[in-house]
Structures are given as C-alpha cells and as structure tokens.
Amino acid sequence: PAPAEAGRVPGPPDGGWGWVVVFGAFLSIGFAYAFPKGLAIFFKEIQDFFGTSYSEVAWVSSIMLATTYGAGPISSILVNRYGSRPVVMFGGLLCGVGMISAAFCTSILQLYVCVGFITGFGLALNLQPSVIIIGKYFLKRRPIANGLAMAGSPVMLCTLAPLNQFLFENFGWRGSFLILGAILLNCCVAGALFRPIGAHTAPVKTLVTEEGKDALKGKITEDGPVESKTEEEGGKDCFEKINQYLDFSLFKHRGFLIYLIGNVLMFLGFFAPIVFLAPYAKHTGIDEYSAAFLLSILAVVDMVARPTTGIIANSRWVRPRIQYFFSFAIAFNGACHLLCPLASSYTGLVVYSSFFGLAFGMVCAMLFETLMDLVGAARFTSAVGLVTIAECCTILLGPPIGGILIDTFGDYKYMFIKCGAVMVLAGTFLFIMNYYNYRILAKEEKERKRKEEDPKPVRTEDEGKKNWNKDSTEDGPELEPLREEGEGVKKEKNGA
C-alpha cells in the first residue's frame, strides 16, 4: 500500500510486520546454514552406491558451501535490482529443483551440479536477502531482530539431523532427496513474507522536480530500480553499470576494510573445530553416540546464545560500541579452542562444548549487525555481497588445513591450537583497529563542527568545506544511527 505521507520515505517501523519478516528470515537463514551440514548423513550410502571415495563425496558439501558464499555478489546485485522478496522466492525454487533433480542422478558429477551448484546457488539467494531485509524493517531493535533470525541456524540443525536420519532409514537417499526438495520449497513461502517496506516512487519524483534528472543517475530504490534513465546512461561502460548495483567504493571505506580483513582471518579457524569435535572425542576413546551428543550440546547452547546476544547488543551500554563486543566474542571463541586440548575427559569436553556454543552463538549473532553498523543500511546490500565472496576462500581452506595438521602430527591438539591462535589474533586486530577507527572518526567529527562554527572559513572557504563534507560522508563509517535519530527529533521539536 502507498505510504500515508506521499512526500516522505517511510522509516523502519521497528516492529509490526517486521516480526513476521524476522520469522521468514529465521527459516531462510536456518536452511542456508544448516542444510549443507545435515547432508553428511547420506554420504556413506552415496559413497557405496557410486563406488567413490569419501573425499569425492565430501566435495558435495564443499561445493555447496563455496557456491553459497561465492555467489554473494550476484545475490546482492539481484536484491538491488529486484528487491528481497522475488530473489528469495526464486532461490527457494532453485533449492527445490536442485534437490529433486539430485534424486535422479546417476553419477557423482551430476550430484556436484544438482546439489553443489544449483542448490548452493539457491541457498545463496536465500541468505543475503534475508539479512538485508531485516535492516530495512529495524533500526532501534535491529540487534535483537538479527539475533532472533540467526538463531534459525542451530534450530534447523537440531531439526534436520534427526529428520534426515529418519528419512534415510525409511526412504533411502533418493527418496530423502525428493522429500528434502519439497521441504526446501518452503523458502518460497518465507520469501513471500518479505513485503516491501513502502513505495518510493513519490519521493523519487520529488527529487526529479527539485534536483533534475542528474539526481537519478546511479540511484537505486530500496525495493527495485528507478525506471527513469538519463541520456548519459547509454554511454556508460560495463564497470559503471555494475557499480550501480554493487558499490565498489566500499573498498575506500575505512571501517569496511577493517571488518573485511578481520573476518577473512577469523574464518580460517571458525568452522574447523565444529567439523573435528566429534572425531576428536572418538580419538580420546569416547563412544560415537556420546561424541555426537557433544554437537547437540553445542547446538542447544548456540540456540540460546544468539537471541540473548542480540538483546545485550541492543542495550544502551553496548550498542554505541558494538564493534568492541564483536571483537571480544571472536577472541573468547579463540580462547576456548586454545584450552580445548586440556579437556581430556568427557566431562571436560562437555564444558568445552558449552563454552564453544556460547562463543559461536555470540559471533554469529553479531556477524552482520556489526557490518551494518559500519556501512549503514543503504550500502549494506553491496557490503554483504563483497564480504561473502572474500570469506569464501578462507571458509574452504580452514578445515583442510586443520586436517593436514592432524595427519602430520597425529594429534588433534595442534588443530585446535591453530584455530584458537588465529581467532585470538583476529579479535585483537579488530579491537585495536576499531579503537583507531573510532578515534579518527571522533577527530573528523570534531573538525567538522569546528569548521561549521567558525564564521570566517564559512565565508571564504565555503566550497572547500562542502567538498570536505562530501569526502568524509563517502569514505567514513556510518555514525551511530540512534544518535542521528535523536538529533533529528530534537530539530523537529525546535521547529527547524
């Protein structure tokens, strides 16, 4: 429906239909993160059926994960072009088609295509738009909404693991893939809940009349493209057209670069401990059922930790400096891995799994919230696409490097030490660089206020001041949104 005030762009409602959107994101994000892990139950039968090695079958999940993260920029471009709702619905359709087609595969290469590429690409079209749409519906309660949506991953993992086991025992891997394909079509239902947040045609037309057609050049609306095109667009090269939908100027953004480097380093040790936790428990002489129960403990604690972290991050003490909280969570995760080799008994591994689940949930709950805090909701669509393509490499390299250390030394403790050291290093890097970024930002803000208050430079250097403000707006990180909102309310009260 059209907004009540035709001349104003509607702001985030921070509730209402937004909680329905959070539920849809809960389902989409849960499938995107948990589904590749749940397929491991079928690998043994697939290996025997096609007569392949375990490493060849394991590439099915690896290709799916790589495609899910590697297709991030494509997903961001499609969201900027068409909006979140149609992209998620199309992604759900691809997931269903990929898994149903995999039920009729006659070779492992066909599984790579159907499960790895088609289903993986469908999951990519579910992940990014689901995170992006939350930033359009929430501002004040955004950390809480992100925490609830990210809780879909452990909930889905706890649900899919017994479900896949039940399907495998009753229908085999082919029948299970057919049923799972039908279940993944529910992503289309989740996407249908992502209602566009108001119409932006009225504000755009106002801009046209006030600022001219040049104001529309490169401008993309929140839920779709601006249909009007200037005459100069015909002469644009390919890079400029792509830059309309994927903002490469983010690589000049100081806060974005700090976040990108820290996260790429972090993912070298983020997923490997989960992969090797159960094998490590078996290596110490624990039976397979007790070893599998460690993952259940981790998932349950993770399930509680994500929304709780969102509530804490939304508090007035943590929200203004959420980057420090994120850095602490990463370093805390690394410290757990460094202490893991000391846990030789089953009780010690239960304690480690509990703390690991807490630290893992804290990091996941703030993973996208901190990025949105740095670049702002308007540029977040492009930012998340660029970040996921960079993280794709280290996500793939992390577990194989851990496996090499285990094969080389014949002991799992070196793998945990490597992961812990890398994550402590990443957390320390983010803490120091964010402290530096906050100080530079404070100096820039102080300098801007000084120039505004000083009358002489205003009269003599008016043009230079405008250029300085423009540069600082483009290259600096987003200021705290709550503080800006408070200033806007104050101006309205003063009648400005």
Side-chain angles (χ1 to χ4, degrees):
E5 299 178 14
R8 295 184 61 186
V9 177
D14 272 307
W17 188 261
W19 297 116
V20 180
V21 171
V22 169
F23 174 71
F26 176 91
L27 295 177
S28 297
I29 293 173
F31 279 122
Y33 278 118
F35 193 79
K37 302 172 188 175
L39 286 182
I41 292 174
F42 306 105
F43 283 175
K44 180 62 178 174
E45 187 182 4
I46 293 175
Q47 177 185 349
D48 296 337
F49 185 85
F50 291 117
T52 58
S53 64
Y54 184 81
S55 60
E56 289 177 319
V57 177
W59 272 106
V60 174
S61 289
S62 297
I63 293 173
M64 183 186 292
L65 279 172
T67 307
T68 301
Y69 280 85
I74 300 175
S75 180
S76 296
I77 291 172
L78 292 174
V79 172
N80 276 330
R81 181 70 176 83
Y82 300 105
S84 294
R85 174 189 273 177
V87 174
V88 174
M89 294 179 73
F90 180 66
L93 184 62
L94 277 182
C95 290
V97 169
M99 290 303 297
I100 292 172
S101 301
F104 302 96
C105 289
T106 56
S107 69
I108 193 69
L109 291 177
Q110 293 176 1
L111 278 181
Y112 292 162
V113 175
C114 294
V115 180
F117 289 108
I118 298 178
T119 306
F121 185 61
L123 294 177
L125 298 183
N126 275 271
L127 179 60
Q128 279 88 354
S130 301
V131 178
I132 291 165
I133 193 70
I134 292 176
K136 296 178 180 179
Y137 269 89
F138 290 90
L139 179 61
K140 290 182 180 179
R141 301 173 181 172
R142 194 174 65 201
I144 299 176
N146 274 319
L148 290 172
M150 295 298 290
S153 175
V155 171
M156 284 293 180
L157 185 59
C158 291
T159 305
L160 283 175
L163 175 64
N164 286 350
Q165 187 66 40
F166 171 79
L167 294 176
F168 171 70
E169 292 173 355
N170 290 274
F171 303 101
W173 71 271
R174 290 190 184 274
S176 299
F177 279 14
L178 279 173
I179 297 172
L180 288 174
I183 292 175
L184 282 174
L185 289 174
N186 285 287
C187 292
C188 299
V189 180
L193 300 176
F194 294 168
R195 187 170 64 192
I197 182 165
H200 286 238
T201 53
V204 171
K205 289 179 181 178
T206 305
L207 287 174
V208 174
T209 57
E210 292 179 356
E211 300 175 10
K213 290 185 179 180
D214 291 337
L216 289 177
K217 188 175 181 180
K219 183 176 180 63
I220 305 300
T221 60
E222 197 166 280
D223 300 300
V226 178
E227 294 182 0
S228 304
K229 295 182 179 180
T230 57
E231 294 179 358
E232 290 90 348
E233 284 185 349
K236 287 184 177 180
D237 58 18
C238 181
F239 180 79
E240 288 176 335
K241 290 181 180 178
I242 294 176
N243 200 51
Q244 281 187 340
Y245 304 108
L246 199 63
D247 189 3
F248 288 100
S249 67
L250 283 165
F251 287 108
K252 298 180 182 178
H253 194 295
R254 187 170 57 245
F256 174 78
L257 289 177
I258 293 171
Y259 177 92
L260 181 64
I261 295 171
N263 274 258
V264 167
L265 182 62
M266 176 194 74
F267 273 106
L268 274 174
F270 192 59
F271 286 117
I274 296 179
V275 175
F276 294 107
L277 176 58
Y280 172 61
K282 295 177 185 177
H283 179 74
T284 59
I286 297 171
D287 63 278
E288 59 181 12
Y289 290 102
S290 300
F293 185 66
L294 293 175
L295 292 175
S296 300
I297 295 173
L298 189 151
V300 170
V301 176
D302 184 12
M303 193 187 310
V304 178
R306 296 196 190 200
T308 305
T309 302
I311 295 172
I312 296 173
N314 197 56
S315 65
R316 57 192 176 96
W317 299 282
V318 179
R319 181 77 182 271
R321 293 293 182 266
I322 195 173
Q323 305 297 331
Y324 293 148
F325 191 33
F326 182 57
S327 305
F328 164 76
I330 295 174
F332 175 49
N333 204 321
C336 292
H337 302 327
L338 288 175
L339 297 174
C340 178
L342 301 178
S344 55
S345 64
Y346 185 69
T347 303
L349 287 175
V350 168
V351 174
Y352 164 72
S353 300
S354 302
F355 279 97
F356 181 23
L358 174 62
F360 190 82
M362 289 173 64
V363 174
C364 291
M366 293 185 290
L367 193 61
F368 296 110
E369 170 61 30
T370 48
L371 178 59
M372 195 179 298
D373 177 73
L374 285 170
V375 303
R379 306 175 77 185
F380 178 71
T381 307
S382 297
V384 71
L386 295 174
V387 166
T388 51
I389 188 68
E391 292 171 349
C392 172
C393 300
T394 50
I395 287 172
L396 282 180
L397 289 176
I401 292 175
I404 291 172
L405 291 174
I406 295 170
D407 293 337
T408 303
F409 297 100
D411 198 338
Y412 284 81
K413 69 178 182 180
Y414 297 102
M415 185 276 302
F416 284 102
I417 291 173
K418 183 271 298 184
C419 294
V422 166
M423 295 201 68
V424 169
L425 179 63
T428 306
F429 169 82
L430 284 173
F431 188 91
I432 295 173
M433 294 307 296
N434 279 313
Y435 174 75
Y436 165 78
N437 188 34
Y438 278 131
R439 291 196 63 180
I440 295 297
L441 186 60
K443 287 181 181 179
E444 290 175 350
E445 182 69 10
K446 186 177 180 180
E447 182 70 15
R448 184 183 66 82
K449 288 182 178 179
R450 187 186 66 80
K451 289 190 175 185
E452 287 179 351
E453 293 172 358
D454 191 3
K456 272 189 176 181
V458 170
R459 286 194 296 265
T460 58
E461 301 176 4
D462 186 56
E463 185 178 353
K465 176 188 150 187
K466 288 180 180 177
N467 292 334
W468 186 89
N469 282 334
K470 181 181 177 183
D471 292 339
S472 63
T473 303
E474 290 179 353
D475 296 335
E478 182 191 42
L479 297 178
E480 292 87 347
L482 299 179
R483 190 182 68 185
E484 290 181 352
E485 183 185 9
E487 290 176 356
V489 172
K490 189 183 294 183
K491 289 179 182 177
E492 288 184 6
K493 287 182 179 179
N494 294 334

